[in-house]
Structure formats: C-alpha cells, structure tokens
C-alpha cells in the first residue's frame, strides 16, 4: 500500500474581486434588442454605465433614472415585479439609466480609486445629461433620483450644471439630509475605529466567510433581527452597520429578498467623512474646498438653491428608517427660504426607503405619484 502525504494546513481561499471596470450585466426581462448599452466615461476618465431602453417610438419624453449609493440600475428593472421602467414605457416615456461611480455594477466601491460625492455631482450626472440631450434633441428630459443619486443631483442643480430639466422626482433625500442620532454617531465612531482595518462593509456573507474580519459586523447586525438571512440583517436591520433600516421587510417579494446581495453592494468607508460633513451641516456641502477643479460646485447647495430652475417632487416613505423626515424638512425649508421654487412633497404611507422602488406593491402605491408629476409637465 502506498501512503500519500498531504499538507495538513489548508490553503486559504482567495476571494475573487473584480479589478476591471467592465460593467456587470443588467438583470431584466426586456427584449435584449431594446436595451442599448452606451460606452460612457466621465470627464475625469472614470468608466460609467449609461443604458437607453428603446421604446420603438422616437418622440417620447426621456426620463433619467439615478440609483442610490451601492445600488445600481438593476433597482429599476426588477424582473420579478412590475418595475419603474415597465411603468414608464407603458405611459409613453423613454427610460435612460445611469450607473454612476457608486454603482455595484462597477468595482469602484471595493477596489477602485476613491471619490467623493463632488465627483458624482460635477462629472457623472452633468455629463450623462449632456449625452442624453445630444441624443434626444429638444424633447423633454425628466429625472427620477433615489437616495444619494438624488442628493448629488441636488448639488449639480444648485451649481447650475443641469439646467432646463422638465422635472425632477427626488426620493428619500434632497437638499437637507437628516439621519437619526444613533445612525450619525455609529457612522462617526465606526468610521474612526474601522478605517485602519477595512475600507468597505460587504453585504454578502457568503463571499467573506465566517472566519473573516467582517464577522463582527454581521454578528452586530444580527442582534434582535427577525430575518435569518445575513444580507438582510446587515441591510434591513443595520444599513451597513449604522443601525438604520433600508426597507420595510414585508414589502419585498421573496425573489427580491433573495437578490439583495445582487441589488446592493459593499459600502466604502472612505466616503464617510464627506457624508458626515453633509449630515452635520444638514445640507449638501462640497468636500473639495481647496481644489480648483471643483469650483463650479457651490460650497453649500442649500444656500445656492435659488439656481434650481425645474419643478421638484420630494417623495418619501412615512417609515423611512435611514433619512427619516428629510424630505418634509426640505419642503419646509425651501418654502421659507426659496418660496419662488416649484417644490411639492408627497409622503407614501407605510413605506420605508428602498421599498418605494423595490417593493412588490410599489407600482400601485408609489409609481402613480411619479407618473402624475411627470404627466403634468411633459
């Protein structure tokens, strides 16, 4: 008998991380021929994703959809439910989707060069708008923006970089970000304690494994959680460790719930200083004060809100566990400081933050408000 010796020390499993800027394919049920992926780079050279959904008609108003940080355009294309793109197509619009540099279809949050929200407001959004306008000519262009996509859009608008939009729907937060006290505290403390050990907070426990430096974060997120899924715990029960909640759990279908790790990616910790400055100011403020490249952006977007030249609908769920009543506050502040602006506020009873788009009933409960707003201005 021949005895074979083996190495008693197992080799550590090497985690595969995307290092290229290739976009992950979109997950949708549309005819592939109707989905036009457009090569697109921001002015600073960063590769982004811009997608046009061809409706088959050339004279439709265009609607640009902006996702939140760590999400992607997939949040508007859920194949398991009636999604926002479906509704827009049926109502006579041409959807355009931008995957800005915070998209989980891109690798930048985990492995790419660091950025701030200034870069999104200065490069990503204005250049996407300019590209769309080259294609659509004088047709109306609307924007529907979620979370940080909306927050950075407000900075672009206050800078006068995207003038002449036909209307903007802002979901979750706009000019006046407001977090719960414990969320702000955890964000500050965690950012300082963890920045020397990790540079991002993952959401997919299967990728990091049990014996990893991220295990304590998942364990903390699981405290008092009603759902056994680790990804759901770190998003619904903890919002990447901040103690906030991203959605009302029962609003998600089983299929959407099972795709959370695909729909939301790692949250970079190096963005926290800018986010903390924004939250402490209770306004969207510029990060790069000494860099001349960012002089086009106002130091404080709320102070420059008079430059906003388009109607705005502030939309929010009544149970928003992340940004609380930021949109209601924004409406009150603008009504007092900039009464000439056309700004409306609508609250969706019983909805949280992400479920306003991901919820299985969003087409009935939420999207009608968006269509009413767009329809009055098309």
């Amino acid at each position: 008998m021949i005895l074979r010796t083996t190495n008693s020390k197992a080799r550590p499993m090497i985690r595969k991380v995307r290092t290229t800027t290739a976009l992950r394919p979109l997950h949708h049920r549309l005819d592939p021929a109707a989905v036009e992926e457009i090569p697109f780079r921001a002015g600073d050279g960063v590769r982004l994703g811009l997608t046009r959904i061809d409706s088959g008609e050339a004279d439709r108003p265009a609607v640009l959809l902006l996702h939140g940080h760590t999400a992607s355009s997939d949040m508007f294309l859920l194949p398991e439910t009636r999604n926002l793109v479906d509704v827009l197509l049926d109502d006579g619009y041409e959807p355009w989707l931008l995957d800005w540099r915070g998209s989980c279809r891109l690798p930048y949050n985990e492995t790419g060069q660091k950025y701030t929200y200034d870069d999104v407001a200065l490069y990503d959004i204005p250049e996407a708008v300019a590209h769309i306008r080259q294609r659509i000519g004088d047709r109306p262009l609307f924007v529907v923006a979620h979370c940080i996509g909306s927050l950075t859009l407000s900075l672009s608008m206050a800078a006068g970089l995207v003038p002449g939009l036909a209307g903007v729907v802002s979901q979750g937060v706009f000019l006046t970000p407001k977090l719960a006290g414990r969320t702000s505290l955890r964000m500050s403390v965690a950012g300082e304690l963890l920045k020397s050990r990790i540079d991002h907070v993952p959401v997919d426990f299967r990728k990091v494994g049990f014996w990893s430096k991220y295990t304590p974060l998942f364990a903390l997120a699981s405290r008092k959680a009603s759902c056994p899924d680790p990804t759901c715990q770190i998003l619904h029960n903890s919002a990447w460790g901040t103690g906030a909640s991203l959605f009302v759990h029962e609003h998600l279908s089983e299929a959407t719930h099972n795709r959370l790790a695909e729909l939301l990616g790692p949250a970079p910790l190096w963005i926290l200083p800018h986010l903390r400055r924004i939250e402490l100011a209770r306004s969207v403020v510029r990060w790069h004060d000494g860099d001349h490249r960012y002089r086009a952006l106002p130091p404080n977007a709320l102070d420059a809100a008079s430059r906003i030249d388009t109607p705005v609908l502030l939309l929010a769920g009544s149970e928003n566990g992340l940004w609380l009543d930021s949109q209601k506050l924004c409406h009150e502040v603008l009504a007092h400081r900039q009464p000439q602006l056309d700004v409306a506020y609508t609250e969706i009873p019983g909805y949280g933050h992400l479920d306003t788009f991901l919820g299985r009933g969003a087409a009935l409960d939420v999207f009608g408000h968006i269509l009413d707003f767009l329809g009055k201005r098309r």
Side-chain angles (χ1 to χ4, degrees), residues 306-374:
S306 61
R307 298 193 68 177
I308 295 176
D309 63 349
T310 183
V312 178
L313 172 62
L314 303 172
L315 198 65
S318 64
E319 308 303 316
N320 193 318
L322 178 62
W323 297 109
L324 306 181
D325 61 346
S326 293
Q327 296 292 64
K328 182 179 180 181
L329 173 66
C330 184
H331 184 254
E332 294 172 349
V333 170
L334 290 179
H336 175 69
R337 295 181 55 174
Q338 304 290 346
Q340 79 282 1
L341 298 183
D342 183 357
V343 180
Y345 169 64
T346 296
E347 187 173 285
I348 311 299
Y351 273 75
H353 185 49
L354 263 168
D355 45 313
T356 52
F357 290 106
L358 301 186
R360 57 190 169 193
L364 293 174
D365 301 327
V366 182
F367 299 163
H369 296 285
I370 297 175
L371 293 181
D372 287 346
F373 176 81
L374 301 183

Side-chain angles (χ1 to χ4, degrees), residues 29-237:
R29 62 167 182 268
L30 297 168
D31 180 352
V35 181
E36 181 186 2
E37 298 277 4
I38 301 168
F40 177 66
R41 288 186 182 272
D44 58 349
V46 175
R47 180 178 177 179
L48 309 174
L50 187 61
T51 305
R52 171 181 169 265
I53 310 300
D54 186 1
S55 65
E57 300 178 16
D59 59 347
R60 292 185 168 204
V63 182
L64 171 61
L65 305 180
L66 300 177
H67 60 79
H69 201 171
T70 88
S72 73
S73 292
D74 276 317
M75 68 176 286
F76 304 114
L77 287 163
L78 300 183
E80 62 269 18
T81 187
R82 182 163 168 77
N83 57 63
L84 183 58
V85 167
D86 290 336
V87 170
L88 290 172
L89 287 171
D90 289 347
D91 212 53
Y93 295 93
E94 180 180 275
W96 289 73
L97 302 94
L98 173 65
D99 281 279
W100 51 273
R101 64 191 72 198
S103 169
C104 62
R105 291 184 66 210
L106 292 161
Y108 307 128
N109 290 325
E110 191 173 1
T111 62
Q113 65 186 39
K114 297 179 181 179
Y115 59 87
T116 69
Y117 296 135
D118 290 0
D119 297 298
V120 183
L122 180 63
Y123 297 117
D124 299 11
I125 295 174
E127 292 181 30
V129 168
H131 186 93
I132 295 169
R133 280 180 164 151
Q134 287 179 355
R135 291 284 300 270
I136 69 173
D138 59 358
R139 282 185 283 156
L141 173 58
F142 296 93
V143 181
V144 177
H146 170 71
C147 195
I148 297 297
S150 173
L151 183 149
T152 51
L153 173 64
S154 76
L155 184 55
S156 297
M157 294 171 70
L161 297 176
V162 286
L165 296 172
V168 168
V169 178
S170 159
Q171 202 293 123
V173 64
F174 192 56
L175 282 167
T176 56
K178 178 182 177 183
L179 297 171
R182 67 171 185 171
T183 300
S184 181
L185 178 61
R186 282 196 186 190
M187 194 178 291
S188 300
V189 173
E192 293 301 319
L193 293 179
L194 298 176
K195 66 181 181 181
S196 62
R197 301 193 67 241
I198 62 177
D199 60 4
H200 66 274
V201 177
V203 299
D204 193 345
F205 191 68
R206 296 167 298 181
K207 288 185 177 180
V208 300
F210 187 79
W211 302 107
S212 79
K213 57 187 176 182
Y214 304 107
T215 300
L217 293 176
F218 282 91
L220 181 64
S222 69
R223 294 180 66 246
K224 299 181 180 181
S226 57
C227 179
D229 182 71
T231 296
C232 180
Q233 292 168 359
I234 206 162
L235 293 173
H236 170 256
N237 204 43

Side-chain angles (χ1 to χ4, degrees), residues 3-4 111 139 198 240 284 291 304 311 313 352 359 363 370 378:
L3 299 179
R4 295 180 179 178
T111 62
R139 282 185 283 156
I198 62 177
W240 298 283
V284 185
D291 192 328
L313 172 62
I370 297 175
R378 61 185 297 172

